[in-house]
Amino acid sequence: MDRMEELGFRSETDRQIFREAAAPVELSPFGLHSGMFVPTLERQGTPEQSRKWVPLGKSFKMIGTYAQTELGHGTFIRGLETTATFDPETQEFILDSPTLSSIKYWPGNVAKTVNHCLVMAQLYTQGKCHGTHLFLVQVRNMEDHTIMPGLEIGDIGPKLGFDGVDNGFMRFNKYRIPRMNMLMRYAKVLENGDYIKPKNAKLTYGAMVMIRVFIVMDAFKTLSRAAVIAVRYSAVRRQSELRPGGEEAQVMDYQTQQYKLFPLLATSYAFLLAAEGMSQIYAKISSDIERGNLEDMPQLHALACGLKAFCTWVACEGIEVCRMSCGGHGYSHASGIPKIYANIVGACTYEGENTVMMLQTARYLSKCYIRGQRGESLPELIQYLTTDLNVKSTLGEDCSFESLVAAYSHRAARMVAVACKLQQTNKKKGMAGHDAWNKSTVPFIAATKAHCHLFIVRNFVTILSQKKIDPATHNVLSQLCTLYAVYGIVENMGEFMQDGYFNQDQVSILNRKVLALLEDIRPNAVALVDAFDYPDHLLQSCLGRYDGQVYEALYEYSKSSPLNNTDIHSSYYNYIRPMMQKRSESKNISAKL
Ligand SMILES: CCCCC/C=C\C/C=C\C/C=C\CCCCC(=O)SCCNC(=O)CCNC(=O)[C@H](O)C(C)(C)COP(=O)(O)OP(=O)(O)OC[C@H]1O[C@@H](n2cnc3c(N)ncnc32)[C@H](O)[C@@H]1OP(=O)(O)O
Ligand SMILES: Cc1cc2nc3c(=O)[nH]c(=O)nc-3n(C[C@H](O)[C@H](O)[C@H](O)COP(=O)(O)OP(=O)(O)OC[C@H]3O[C@@H](n4cnc5c(N)ncnc54)[C@H](O)[C@@H]3O)c2cc1C
């Protein structure tokens, strides 16, 4: 914190970059404090509450996290069981975990680190439940860090990753907090217990929307780091003879290696631009919301849900491809890739399980489709839903940006229409609304993925057509953008071809184009990963180090293994030697028999 002050870091983005550089592999135990706890106090507290608590949070005099998930509920927030019951006699809320399943479970850094939590609980006042609301709760003594009486707190145990984060459990036993510890920017409980409801009940979900937007950037960061490691290693690693009798080839010269990595390099650039676009949309709409204009709240929610799910799924699959493209050394922690994967793959679950998030977006698309069919105006990002589905592709050898965006628009519009028509058919068959929905959710997930894919392709193309970029750089970025789009079509050809949108010649053009682009990008591949400018300290990879001294680094890394601290390990004396002695004794016995 002081170091950031010394360095003059004022913007939250710079501070976040510094924090990640300071704790690049083991996520910071203060990440949720800075990334979720403090921003939520700012956005969900009244001006008075913000003035009181935000400075304490920013100066780490108060260290907090976001405690919402319970043993029995993570996705279904309306099903959360923790209660906060208002006591007008004492002007307090009484927090309680009435059941085993209501125990808070998973909140990051709650086990040992934080002294406060933002707790999501069902608000009761005057005998009535008003749904989930956020409450600031002190959980540890500010003098000696002991757990406050009335609370049971502990760590949930080892996880796949997130080793630097002490995810914990927390149980309330009639735990009292002051009335003014309810975050009251949008909803209020007055001294007499009267409840003042918010303009929209989902405003209390605002923190999650914010983190989902952050996570889109995390998907870029993690995929691009894995791509840097894999591409640099592929330039250094020589294996097998490409030319019979010739020297062993750089593995990056194998077309299959290029087909694994270059689309992921293109995806990294696409996701960076998508994350920036998402952040700009979030900044605009969230400031509208703070001014009381909730008109675009549904669009923000739908986009944040969809991109968070789409980008984390694609990033995690891509990081695994990067790991496997490094052969055996990719499987070692020396490569740095397993840790990248282990820390980001949780993002497919946390902050909204991806399938559930995609379905939120699908629900929005379904409503917009109906509005479009009625001829109502649609937000710009959704207007493609009224695309004429009888039109065929005009794609030519050049695979122009226009023809590519048109293809993605057509695919998404067609798939949303298919899912909506199935939902409508289900209703016409007499299904109840919720059954008609549930029985069309698989096509809706596919359609929503196509919707997100379109956003990312269109965003990439728009930025290339609007930004002033020097011709040489523009040319290389255009190759990446075309590769991202063409590869996406080739890999999902069925969805683009189902209604004959492309003819056979166009399919052949696309298959040729994706291979030609691999050759175009090969000369710039290393420069394109170097451009991310990740320092070795942050990558923590023997394979992806800037100087390419891979084998020297691996050898030093291996020698530093704790197992090498002694030549003969204690297990020899404790197990191996006794076993061998027993074997030899039994052999002597059998020889005598
Ligand atoms: C350790 C390092 C940290 C670094 C920190 C830095 C940056 C952060 C980066 C990474 C994160 C790091 C660590 C991980 C932290 C993880 C923290 C957590 O996981 S916190 C818990 C997260 N939990 C969830 O996300 C729960 C998911 N569930 C939900 O959001 C909701 O249950 C729901 C799925 C949205 C359903 O809600 P509900 O049942 O109330 O609503 P519906 O009936 O489905 O819809 C009704 C209506 O409301 C609209 N809507 C729903 N949500 C929103 C919203 N948020 N905003 C706007 N509108 C919303 C919905 O669209 C419907 O509208 P309509 O169709 O018009 O009726
Ligand atoms: C690394 C990590 C860190 C976390 N940090 C925090 C934290 O700091 N604070 C916090 O409060 N929580 C935290 N969580 C909890 C996290 O937010 C929840 O796990 C997440 O919201 C998913 O909810 P769940 O576990 O109930 O999954 P579930 O919803 O039970 O998922 C199980 C399956 O049910 C399916 N499913 C559920 N509902 C539907 C539906 N309506 N339609 C179709 N399918 C459905 C899902 O798709 C999934 O396949 C963290 C979790 C992880 C893994």
Side-chain angles (χ1 to χ4, degrees):
M1 191 58 203
D2 301 339
R3 186 75 181 114
M4 282 194 276
E5 295 298 331
E6 285 166 23
L7 295 171
F9 290 149
R10 296 284 176 267
S11 86
E12 188 47 37
T13 305
D14 291 347
R15 287 166 176 265
Q16 184 62 20
I17 290 168
F18 180 81
R19 284 186 209 107
E20 286 176 6
V25 175
E26 299 309 344
L27 294 166
S28 162
F30 302 114
L32 274 158
H33 168 79
S34 309
M36 198 162 190
F37 178 75
V38 174
T40 304
L41 288 173
E42 284 178 309
R43 288 171 169 79
Q44 302 269 338
T46 63
E48 296 74 27
Q49 289 176 322
S50 294
R51 276 196 295 275
K52 177 181 173 186
W53 292 326
V54 169
L56 294 174
K58 287 191 171 179
S59 59
F60 284 77
K61 291 189 178 77
M62 177 198 286
I63 302 174
T65 189
Y66 185 89
Q68 174 173 292
T69 302
E70 298 169 355
L71 257 177
H73 291 93
T75 286
F76 189 52
I77 296 176
R78 287 185 286 130
L80 290 174
E81 297 174 86
T82 302
T83 57
T85 306
F86 182 61
D87 179 352
E89 295 300 314
T90 63
Q91 292 294 294
E92 292 172 318
F93 284 101
I94 304 164
L95 286 170
D96 198 45
S97 304
T99 60
L100 177 66
S101 54
S102 69
I103 293 174
K104 290 299 178 187
Y105 197 93
W106 273 109
N109 312 126
V110 85
K112 302 297 175 187
T113 304
V114 304
N115 47 46
H116 284 77
C117 285
L118 283 172
V119 175
M120 190 72 99
Q122 299 286 359
L123 165 62
Y124 285 83
T125 179
Q126 296 170 347
K128 188 168 181 292
C129 179
H130 295 280
T132 53
H133 292 72
L134 280 169
F135 300 84
L136 177 66
V137 183
Q138 181 180 341
V139 297
R140 286 183 179 269
N141 181 299
M142 298 302 282
E143 299 305 319
D144 61 11
H145 209 56
T146 51
I147 296 169
M148 298 296 281
L151 293 183
E152 181 191 359
I153 294 176
D155 182 71
I156 66 171
K159 309 173 290 279
L160 189 156
F162 253 55
D163 298 336
V165 178
D166 48 310
N167 297 86
F169 65 84
M170 177 163 59
R171 188 172 201 167
F172 299 98
N173 180 16
K174 307 282 189 253
Y175 187 77
R176 290 176 173 267
I177 62 172
R179 176 176 71 90
M180 285 315 292
N181 276 37
M182 171 183 162
L183 299 197
M184 293 203 200
R185 183 179 191 130
Y186 298 114
K188 296 181 182 0
V189 169
L190 307 181
E191 288 181 357
N192 66 359
D194 286 355
Y195 175 72
I196 311 299
K197 70 177 188 178
K199 283 175 80 171
N200 182 316
K202 306 310 172 189
L203 285 164
T204 48
Y205 290 7
M208 292 176 275
V209 178
M210 174 187 68
I211 296 292
R212 289 166 193 153
V213 171
F214 287 165
I215 291 171
V216 178
M217 184 61 82
D218 281 354
F220 151 71
K221 289 176 191 170
T222 48
L223 177 60
S224 57
R225 288 173 194 175
V228 170
I229 294 167
V231 167
R232 282 181 177 168
Y233 180 64
S234 298
V236 170
R237 181 70 167 180
R238 288 183 177 275
Q239 198 70 197
S240 313
E241 293 176 349
L242 205 160
R243 292 170 191 78
E247 66 171 341
E248 288 195 74
Q250 289 170 287
V251 295
M252 188 140 71
D253 287 334
Y254 293 112
Q255 187 183 64
T256 51
Q257 189 81 353
Q258 295 173 7
Y259 195 73
K260 289 174 192 173
L261 294 181
F262 293 175
L264 293 176
L265 180 55
T267 303
S268 298
Y269 277 83
F271 279 11
L272 170 59
L273 298 175
E276 288 177 344
M278 176 76 252
S279 300
Q280 288 158 14
I281 293 169
Y282 173 76
K284 184 211 178 287
I285 297 178
S286 57
S287 63
D288 290 348
I289 290 168
E290 285 177 16
R291 286 196 302 273
N293 171 8
L294 308 188
E295 184 185 358
D296 290 334
M297 198 169 144
Q299 182 181 214
L300 175 63
H301 170 55
L303 188 59
C305 284
L307 285 187
K308 179 265 183 188
F310 183 87
C311 293
T312 51
W313 264 331
V314 169
C316 292
E317 287 165 17
I319 293 164
E320 256 299 82
V321 170
C322 289
R323 180 187 65 76
M324 287 185 274
S325 73
C326 295
H329 300 328
Y331 191 77
S332 163
H333 276 301
S335 74
I337 298 178
K339 267 291 178 191
I340 293 173
Y341 181 84
N343 281 343
I344 192 60
V345 73
C348 296
T349 305
Y350 63 60
E351 219 56 73
E353 198 282 329
N354 277 2
T355 302
V356 173
M357 294 294 98
M358 277 275 171
L359 290 173
Q360 284 290 307
T361 308
R363 174 172 172 161
Y364 174 75
L365 293 173
S366 168
K367 295 192 167 206
C368 289
Y369 176 80
I370 294 164
R371 284 168 48 194
Q373 293 297 299
R374 291 183 191 137
E376 295 174 23
S377 67
L378 293 174
E380 187 191 352
L381 291 177
I382 310 289
Q383 285 170 3
Y384 74 87
L385 287 180
T386 56
T387 299
D388 177 0
L389 294 178
N390 297 312
V391 170
K392 300 303 176 196
S393 172
T394 59
L395 180 124
E397 285 290 346
D398 64 343
C399 293
S400 71
F401 284 162
E402 184 188 1
S403 64
L404 294 172
V405 172
Y408 277 84
S409 300
H410 180 93
R411 168 220 195 182
R414 183 187 64 74
M415 294 176 76
V416 170
V418 164
C420 290
K421 285 172 182 167
L422 176 60
Q423 182 187 14
Q424 289 161 5
T425 303
N426 289 342
K427 282 181 183 169
K428 286 174 187 158
K429 285 178 183 172
M431 282 188 206
H434 57 272
D435 285 332
W437 167 253
N438 185 41
K439 302 285 187 193
S440 57
T441 44
V442 168
F444 264 116
I445 291 283
T448 307
K449 286 178 181 176
H451 167 75
C452 296
H453 210 168
L454 165 62
F455 174 90
I456 293 169
V457 168
R458 187 175 52 203
N459 181 67
F460 204 159
V461 167
T462 303
I463 284 169
L464 284 180
S465 57
Q466 286 177 351
K467 288 236 181 195
K468 290 234 175 299
I469 305 170
D470 68 272
T473 306
H474 191 278
N475 178 51
V476 175
L477 291 176
S478 297
Q479 288 173 346
L480 285 175
C481 180
T482 307
L483 176 60
Y484 178 72
V486 171
Y487 175 83
I489 295 173
V490 169
E491 288 291 304
N492 298 283
M493 189 59 82
E495 293 180 356
F496 288 87
M497 279 293 287
Q498 186 163 341
D499 61 347
Y501 180 70
F502 288 127
N503 61 41
Q504 287 300 332
D505 291 343
Q506 289 169 325
V507 173
S508 302
I509 287 171
L510 289 158
N511 286 327
R512 285 198 303 272
K513 186 69 174 178
V514 75
L515 300 181
L517 283 164
L518 300 180
E519 292 189 37
D520 294 341
I521 287 167
R522 170 67 182 86
N524 293 312
V526 174
L528 284 165
V529 297
D530 288 351
F532 290 125
D533 199 18
Y534 290 130
D536 285 350
H537 159 75
L538 195 146
L539 293 175
Q540 302 212 351
S541 170
C542 296
L543 308 190
R545 49 187 294 140
Y546 186 76
D547 65 8
Q549 300 299 304
V550 170
Y551 296 146
E552 293 80 354
L554 280 172
Y555 183 48
E556 289 309 310
Y557 176 90
S558 306
K559 287 196 289 185
S560 70
S561 169
L563 266 181
N564 298 326
N565 290 343
T566 58
D567 175 27
I568 299 175
H569 191 264
S570 59
S571 55
Y572 171 75
Y573 302 105
N574 298 334
Y575 306 105
I576 298 171
R577 188 171 63 175
M579 178 192 71
M580 293 176 72
Q581 284 170 345
K582 200 171 178 181
R583 290 281 184 283
S584 59
E585 285 159 15
S586 62
K587 189 180 166 204
N588 293 340
I589 290 167
S590 57
K592 287 174 189 151
L593 283 178

